[in-house]
Tab-separated table of all heavy atoms in Angstrom:
chain	number	residue	atom	x	y	z
A	1151	GLU	N	101.277	100.642	136.376
A	1151	GLU	CA	100.283	101.572	135.829
A	1151	GLU	C	100.981	102.812	135.282
A	1151	GLU	O	101.951	103.296	135.865
A	1151	GLU	CB	99.282	101.996	136.911
A	1151	GLU	CG	98.405	100.873	137.420
A	1151	GLU	CD	97.404	101.356	138.447
A	1151	GLU	OE1	97.402	102.589	138.740
A	1151	GLU	OE2	96.629	100.533	138.963
A	1152	PHE	N	100.484	103.302	134.158
A	1152	PHE	CA	101.007	104.533	133.564
A	1152	PHE	C	100.361	105.733	134.252
A	1152	PHE	O	99.146	105.779	134.420
A	1152	PHE	CB	100.700	104.559	132.066
A	1152	PHE	CG	101.129	105.826	131.376
A	1152	PHE	CD1	102.446	106.008	130.987
A	1152	PHE	CD2	100.215	106.842	131.129
A	1152	PHE	CE1	102.859	107.172	130.362
A	1152	PHE	CE2	100.616	108.016	130.505
A	1152	PHE	CZ	101.940	108.178	130.113
A	1153	GLN	N	101.189	106.704	134.661
A	1153	GLN	CA	100.659	107.899	135.308
A	1153	GLN	C	100.682	109.115	134.387
A	1153	GLN	O	99.664	109.730	134.146
A	1153	GLN	CB	101.447	108.195	136.593
A	1153	GLN	CG	101.422	107.074	137.614
A	1153	GLN	CD	100.029	106.721	138.084
A	1153	GLN	OE1	99.098	107.519	137.987
A	1153	GLN	NE2	99.858	105.512	138.598
A	1154	LYS	N	101.860	109.440	133.851
A	1154	LYS	CA	101.938	110.593	132.949
A	1154	LYS	C	103.299	110.663	132.260
A	1154	LYS	O	104.268	110.037	132.720
A	1154	LYS	CB	101.699	111.899	133.693
A	1154	LYS	CG	102.733	112.213	134.781
A	1154	LYS	CD	102.604	113.639	135.299
A	1154	LYS	CE	101.297	113.847	136.003
A	1154	LYS	NZ	101.195	115.214	136.581
A	1155	ARG	N	103.336	111.408	131.171
A	1155	ARG	CA	104.606	111.755	130.537
A	1155	ARG	C	105.100	113.024	131.203
A	1155	ARG	O	104.347	113.992	131.349
A	1155	ARG	CB	104.429	111.960	129.039
A	1155	ARG	CG	105.741	112.215	128.306
A	1155	ARG	CD	105.588	112.148	126.809
A	1155	ARG	NE	106.903	112.199	126.148
A	1155	ARG	CZ	107.135	111.777	124.928
A	1155	ARG	NH1	106.128	111.266	124.208
A	1155	ARG	NH2	108.343	111.854	124.404
A	1156	LEU	N	106.372	113.046	131.603
A	1156	LEU	CA	106.881	114.166	132.401
A	1156	LEU	C	107.486	115.279	131.566
A	1156	LEU	O	107.520	116.426	131.996
A	1156	LEU	CB	107.921	113.655	133.409
A	1156	LEU	CG	107.378	112.672	134.456
A	1156	LEU	CD1	108.515	112.132	135.313
A	1156	LEU	CD2	106.318	113.321	135.335
A	1157	THR	N	108.012	114.949	130.408
A	1157	THR	CA	108.616	115.968	129.541
A	1157	THR	C	108.078	115.795	128.126
A	1157	THR	O	107.987	114.667	127.630
A	1157	THR	CB	110.149	115.849	129.518
A	1157	THR	OG1	110.508	114.506	129.155
A	1157	THR	CG2	110.751	116.178	130.872
A	1158	PRO	N	107.704	116.889	127.456
A	1158	PRO	CA	107.064	116.772	126.135
A	1158	PRO	C	108.000	116.289	125.030
A	1158	PRO	O	107.547	115.667	124.073
A	1158	PRO	CB	106.574	118.201	125.862
A	1158	PRO	CG	107.439	119.074	126.706
A	1158	PRO	CD	107.777	118.276	127.923
A	1159	ARG	N	109.293	116.563	125.139
A	1159	ARG	CA	110.209	116.238	124.051
A	1159	ARG	C	111.130	115.063	124.340
A	1159	ARG	O	111.813	114.579	123.446
A	1159	ARG	CB	111.062	117.471	123.713
A	1159	ARG	CG	110.246	118.645	123.189
A	1159	ARG	CD	111.142	119.809	122.829
A	1159	ARG	NE	110.362	120.944	122.352
A	1159	ARG	CZ	110.883	122.113	121.968
A	1159	ARG	NH1	112.208	122.280	122.007
A	1159	ARG	NH2	110.104	123.086	121.558
A	1160	GLN	N	111.192	114.619	125.595
A	1160	GLN	CA	112.044	113.502	125.954
A	1160	GLN	C	111.213	112.383	126.564
A	1160	GLN	O	110.093	112.606	127.024
A	1160	GLN	CB	113.137	113.953	126.930
A	1160	GLN	CG	114.118	114.957	126.325
A	1160	GLN	CD	115.147	115.412	127.349
A	1160	GLN	OE1	114.806	116.040	128.350
A	1160	GLN	NE2	116.412	115.087	127.102
A	1161	SER	N	111.792	111.195	126.549
A	1161	SER	CA	111.036	110.004	126.952
A	1161	SER	C	111.118	109.740	128.455
A	1161	SER	O	111.585	108.687	128.898
A	1161	SER	CB	111.540	108.789	126.166
A	1161	SER	OG	111.443	109.018	124.781
A	1162	TYR	N	110.655	110.714	129.252
A	1162	TYR	CA	110.577	110.553	130.704
A	1162	TYR	C	109.122	110.316	131.087
A	1162	TYR	O	108.229	111.098	130.742
A	1162	TYR	CB	111.086	111.806	131.417
A	1162	TYR	CG	112.574	112.001	131.349
A	1162	TYR	CD1	113.136	112.855	130.396
A	1162	TYR	CD2	113.425	111.348	132.237
A	1162	TYR	CE1	114.508	113.040	130.334
A	1162	TYR	CE2	114.792	111.531	132.180
A	1162	TYR	CZ	115.334	112.381	131.224
A	1162	TYR	OH	116.690	112.561	131.169
A	1163	TYR	N	108.885	109.221	131.810
A	1163	TYR	CA	107.523	108.861	132.183
A	1163	TYR	C	107.454	108.559	133.686
A	1163	TYR	O	108.445	108.148	134.292
A	1163	TYR	CB	107.058	107.622	131.409
A	1163	TYR	CG	107.114	107.784	129.916
A	1163	TYR	CD1	108.245	107.379	129.201
A	1163	TYR	CD2	106.045	108.340	129.213
A	1163	TYR	CE1	108.310	107.525	127.823
A	1163	TYR	CE2	106.098	108.489	127.828
A	1163	TYR	CZ	107.235	108.082	127.142
A	1163	TYR	OH	107.294	108.242	125.777
A	1164	LEU	N	106.261	108.745	134.224
A	1164	LEU	CA	106.000	108.359	135.610
A	1164	LEU	C	105.112	107.126	135.591
A	1164	LEU	O	104.006	107.154	135.031
A	1164	LEU	CB	105.312	109.492	136.379
A	1164	LEU	CG	104.996	109.194	137.848
A	1164	LEU	CD1	106.286	109.106	138.657
A	1164	LEU	CD2	104.071	110.244	138.437
A	1165	VAL	N	105.616	106.031	136.171
A	1165	VAL	CA	104.835	104.804	136.287
A	1165	VAL	C	104.790	104.403	137.757
A	1165	VAL	O	105.595	104.884	138.563
A	1165	VAL	CB	105.442	103.662	135.441
A	1165	VAL	CG1	105.451	104.021	133.966
A	1165	VAL	CG2	106.846	103.301	135.915
A	1166	SER	N	103.855	103.536	138.103
A	1166	SER	CA	103.750	103.103	139.497
A	1166	SER	C	103.417	101.621	139.553
A	1166	SER	O	102.928	101.035	138.585
A	1166	SER	CB	102.688	103.912	140.240
A	1166	SER	OG	101.407	103.668	139.691
A	1167	LYS	N	103.701	101.013	140.701
A	1167	LYS	CA	103.386	99.608	140.935
A	1167	LYS	C	102.246	99.494	141.934
A	1167	LYS	O	102.003	100.401	142.743
A	1167	LYS	CB	104.606	98.839	141.452
A	1167	LYS	CG	105.017	99.208	142.879
A	1167	LYS	CD	106.165	98.351	143.384
A	1167	LYS	CE	105.766	96.936	143.683
A	1167	LYS	NZ	104.822	96.828	144.835
A	1168	THR	N	101.547	98.384	141.879
A	1168	THR	CA	100.536	98.088	142.887
A	1168	THR	C	101.238	97.621	144.155
A	1168	THR	O	102.060	96.690	144.094
A	1168	THR	CB	99.574	96.996	142.383
A	1168	THR	OG1	98.959	97.450	141.171
A	1168	THR	CG2	98.504	96.690	143.425
A	1169	PRO	N	100.996	98.244	145.309
A	1169	PRO	CA	101.741	97.917	146.538
A	1169	PRO	C	101.755	96.440	146.900
A	1169	PRO	O	102.748	95.939	147.414
A	1169	PRO	CB	101.028	98.752	147.608
A	1169	PRO	CG	100.467	99.913	146.857
A	1169	PRO	CD	100.065	99.371	145.527
A	1170	SER	N	100.681	95.731	146.624
A	1170	SER	CA	100.590	94.331	147.039
A	1170	SER	C	101.231	93.356	146.054
A	1170	SER	O	101.262	92.151	146.299
A	1170	SER	CB	99.118	93.938	147.228
A	1170	SER	OG	98.398	94.089	146.015
A	1171	MET	N	101.761	93.870	144.938
A	1171	MET	CA	102.296	92.989	143.888
A	1171	MET	C	103.808	93.164	143.762
A	1171	MET	O	104.285	94.107	143.128
A	1171	MET	CB	101.599	93.268	142.555
A	1171	MET	CG	100.100	93.025	142.597
A	1171	MET	SD	99.237	93.379	141.045
A	1171	MET	CE	99.868	92.060	140.008
A	1172	GLY	N	104.556	92.267	144.370
A	1172	GLY	CA	106.010	92.309	144.276
A	1172	GLY	C	106.622	93.325	145.222
A	1172	GLY	O	105.933	94.200	145.767
A	1173	SER	N	107.937	93.227	145.402
A	1173	SER	CA	108.632	94.157	146.305
A	1173	SER	C	109.109	95.388	145.539
A	1173	SER	O	109.370	95.316	144.333
A	1173	SER	CB	109.838	93.465	146.943
A	1173	SER	OG	110.875	93.277	145.990
A	1174	PRO	N	109.233	96.525	146.235
A	1174	PRO	CA	109.749	97.733	145.575
A	1174	PRO	C	111.144	97.522	144.995
A	1174	PRO	O	111.446	98.026	143.898
A	1174	PRO	CB	109.767	98.771	146.711
A	1174	PRO	CG	108.801	98.271	147.712
A	1174	PRO	CD	108.864	96.778	147.633
A	1175	GLU	N	112.017	96.808	145.713
A	1175	GLU	CA	113.381	96.597	145.244
A	1175	GLU	C	113.397	95.807	143.938
A	1175	GLU	O	114.107	96.154	142.995
A	1175	GLU	CB	114.197	95.860	146.304
A	1175	GLU	CG	114.459	96.656	147.575
A	1175	GLU	CD	113.257	96.705	148.508
A	1175	GLU	OE1	112.306	95.902	148.298
A	1175	GLU	OE2	113.255	97.528	149.432
A	1176	ASP	N	112.577	94.741	143.867
A	1176	ASP	CA	112.509	93.947	142.639
A	1176	ASP	C	111.955	94.774	141.482
A	1176	ASP	O	112.405	94.647	140.333
A	1176	ASP	CB	111.630	92.704	142.843
A	1176	ASP	CG	112.305	91.661	143.720
A	1176	ASP	OD1	113.536	91.756	143.911
A	1176	ASP	OD2	111.603	90.759	144.221
A	1177	PHE	N	110.987	95.632	141.787
A	1177	PHE	CA	110.362	96.459	140.750
A	1177	PHE	C	111.376	97.386	140.093
A	1177	PHE	O	111.563	97.367	138.874
A	1177	PHE	CB	109.213	97.255	141.374
A	1177	PHE	CG	108.449	98.111	140.392
A	1177	PHE	CD1	107.906	97.572	139.235
A	1177	PHE	CD2	108.267	99.469	140.643
A	1177	PHE	CE1	107.198	98.358	138.337
A	1177	PHE	CE2	107.553	100.260	139.755
A	1177	PHE	CZ	107.009	99.714	138.600
A	1178	ILE	N	112.070	98.194	140.899
A	1178	ILE	CA	112.985	99.160	140.301
A	1178	ILE	C	114.231	98.489	139.730
A	1178	ILE	O	114.759	98.918	138.697
A	1178	ILE	CB	113.371	100.266	141.319
A	1178	ILE	CG1	113.998	101.449	140.578
A	1178	ILE	CG2	114.301	99.729	142.402
A	1178	ILE	CD1	114.089	102.716	141.382
A	1179	ASN	N	114.696	97.403	140.331
A	1179	ASN	CA	115.862	96.698	139.788
A	1179	ASN	C	115.543	96.027	138.456
A	1179	ASN	O	116.388	95.998	137.549
A	1179	ASN	CB	116.384	95.672	140.791
A	1179	ASN	CG	117.054	96.315	141.983
A	1179	ASN	OD1	117.548	97.445	141.892
A	1179	ASN	ND2	117.079	95.626	143.107
A	1180	THR	N	114.336	95.492	138.327
A	1180	THR	CA	113.921	94.887	137.063
A	1180	THR	C	113.810	95.946	135.974
A	1180	THR	O	114.208	95.724	134.824
A	1180	THR	CB	112.577	94.145	137.225
A	1180	THR	OG1	112.685	93.201	138.281
A	1180	THR	CG2	112.195	93.423	135.947
A	1181	ILE	N	113.285	97.114	136.333
A	1181	ILE	CA	113.190	98.215	135.367
A	1181	ILE	C	114.582	98.657	134.925
A	1181	ILE	O	114.853	98.828	133.726
A	1181	ILE	CB	112.413	99.408	135.985
A	1181	ILE	CG1	110.931	99.076	136.095
A	1181	ILE	CG2	112.608	100.674	135.153
A	1181	ILE	CD1	110.095	100.149	136.772
A	1182	LYS	N	115.488	98.818	135.873
A	1182	LYS	CA	116.837	99.289	135.539
A	1182	LYS	C	117.601	98.305	134.662
A	1182	LYS	O	118.460	98.707	133.875
A	1182	LYS	CB	117.627	99.556	136.826
A	1182	LYS	CG	117.233	100.822	137.547
A	1182	LYS	CD	118.160	101.051	138.734
A	1182	LYS	CE	117.908	102.395	139.367
A	1182	LYS	NZ	118.880	102.692	140.434
A	1183	SER	N	117.325	97.015	134.814
A	1183	SER	CA	118.044	96.016	134.025
A	1183	SER	C	117.485	95.843	132.622
A	1183	SER	O	118.065	95.129	131.800
A	1183	SER	CB	118.019	94.665	134.759
A	1183	SER	OG	116.683	94.180	134.875
A	1184	ASP	N	116.358	96.493	132.334
A	1184	ASP	CA	115.746	96.386	131.005
A	1184	ASP	C	116.597	97.144	129.987
A	1184	ASP	O	116.956	98.306	130.213
A	1184	ASP	CB	114.332	96.968	131.053
A	1184	ASP	CG	113.553	96.678	129.786
A	1184	ASP	OD1	113.936	97.209	128.723
A	1184	ASP	OD2	112.571	95.923	129.853
A	1185	PRO	N	116.934	96.532	128.831
A	1185	PRO	CA	117.776	97.206	127.826
A	1185	PRO	C	117.136	98.431	127.192
A	1185	PRO	O	117.844	99.264	126.601
A	1185	PRO	CB	118.017	96.102	126.783
A	1185	PRO	CG	116.918	95.106	126.992
A	1185	PRO	CD	116.614	95.151	128.455
A	1186	ASN	N	115.813	98.578	127.308
A	1186	ASN	CA	115.134	99.748	126.757
A	1186	ASN	C	115.112	100.939	127.715
A	1186	ASN	O	114.579	101.991	127.383
A	1186	ASN	CB	113.698	99.389	126.376
A	1186	ASN	CG	113.636	98.477	125.170
A	1186	ASN	OD1	114.333	98.699	124.174
A	1186	ASN	ND2	112.818	97.432	125.260
A	1187	VAL	N	115.684	100.744	128.900
A	1187	VAL	CA	115.676	101.795	129.925
A	1187	VAL	C	117.058	102.431	130.026
A	1187	VAL	O	118.061	101.737	130.195
A	1187	VAL	CB	115.257	101.218	131.297
A	1187	VAL	CG1	115.401	102.266	132.390
A	1187	VAL	CG2	113.826	100.701	131.228
A	1188	ILE	N	117.099	103.762	129.914
A	1188	ILE	CA	118.353	104.496	130.094
A	1188	ILE	C	118.643	104.687	131.577
A	1188	ILE	O	119.760	104.494	132.047
A	1188	ILE	CB	118.289	105.858	129.375
A	1188	ILE	CG1	118.141	105.638	127.862
A	1188	ILE	CG2	119.531	106.701	129.675
A	1188	ILE	CD1	117.927	106.921	127.083
A	1189	ASP	N	117.622	105.061	132.326
A	1189	ASP	CA	117.782	105.276	133.764
A	1189	ASP	C	116.417	105.282	134.421
A	1189	ASP	O	115.384	105.453	133.760
A	1189	ASP	CB	118.503	106.600	134.031
A	1189	ASP	CG	119.171	106.633	135.401
A	1189	ASP	OD1	119.024	105.639	136.150
A	1189	ASP	OD2	119.822	107.631	135.722
A	1190	ALA	N	116.403	105.081	135.748
A	1190	ALA	CA	115.156	105.094	136.509
A	1190	ALA	C	115.462	105.482	137.939
A	1190	ALA	O	116.542	105.202	138.457
A	1190	ALA	CB	114.474	103.726	136.462
A	1191	GLN	N	114.503	106.143	138.590
A	1191	GLN	CA	114.666	106.502	139.992
A	1191	GLN	C	113.298	106.617	140.646
A	1191	GLN	O	112.287	106.864	139.973
A	1191	GLN	CB	115.426	107.820	140.149
A	1191	GLN	CG	114.629	109.063	139.760
A	1191	GLN	CD	115.359	110.351	140.092
A	1191	GLN	OE1	116.561	110.449	139.935
A	1191	GLN	NE2	114.614	111.345	140.527
A	1192	TRP	N	113.271	106.413	141.951
A	1192	TRP	CA	112.029	106.600	142.695
A	1192	TRP	C	111.611	108.063	142.631
A	1192	TRP	O	112.448	108.963	142.668
A	1192	TRP	CB	112.192	106.188	144.148
A	1192	TRP	CG	112.371	104.725	144.376
A	1192	TRP	CD1	113.467	104.100	144.883
A	1192	TRP	CD2	111.411	103.697	144.115
A	1192	TRP	NE1	113.264	102.753	144.954
A	1192	TRP	CE2	112.014	102.469	144.492
A	1192	TRP	CE3	110.114	103.683	143.598
A	1192	TRP	CZ2	111.357	101.251	144.369
A	1192	TRP	CZ3	109.456	102.471	143.479
A	1192	TRP	CH2	110.064	101.276	143.861
A	1193	ASP	N	110.313	108.286	142.568
A	1193	ASP	CA	109.781	109.650	142.574
A	1193	ASP	C	109.013	109.876	143.862
A	1193	ASP	O	107.897	109.387	144.021
A	1193	ASP	CB	108.849	109.876	141.390
A	1193	ASP	CG	108.178	111.235	141.459
A	1193	ASP	OD1	108.884	112.244	141.532
A	1193	ASP	OD2	106.919	111.279	141.456
A	1194	ARG	N	109.627	110.596	144.804
A	1194	ARG	CA	108.978	110.902	146.080
A	1194	ARG	C	108.168	109.713	146.555
A	1194	ARG	O	106.951	109.768	146.669
A	1194	ARG	CB	108.058	112.107	145.920
A	1194	ARG	CG	108.760	113.377	145.517
A	1194	ARG	CD	107.771	114.468	145.159
A	1194	ARG	NE	106.875	114.709	146.264
A	1194	ARG	CZ	105.629	115.145	146.103
A	1194	ARG	NH1	105.124	115.349	144.923
A	1194	ARG	NH2	104.880	115.374	147.160
């Protein structure tokens, strides 16, 4: 799910996963391996 854009001039976004769908480790590792992603990290 899309939550918000974090910076007006750069492509930083806050997204979230549904807790019951997939593991957290698979979620962030899949995001990091995407060629369109520069970087990703958990947000609190």
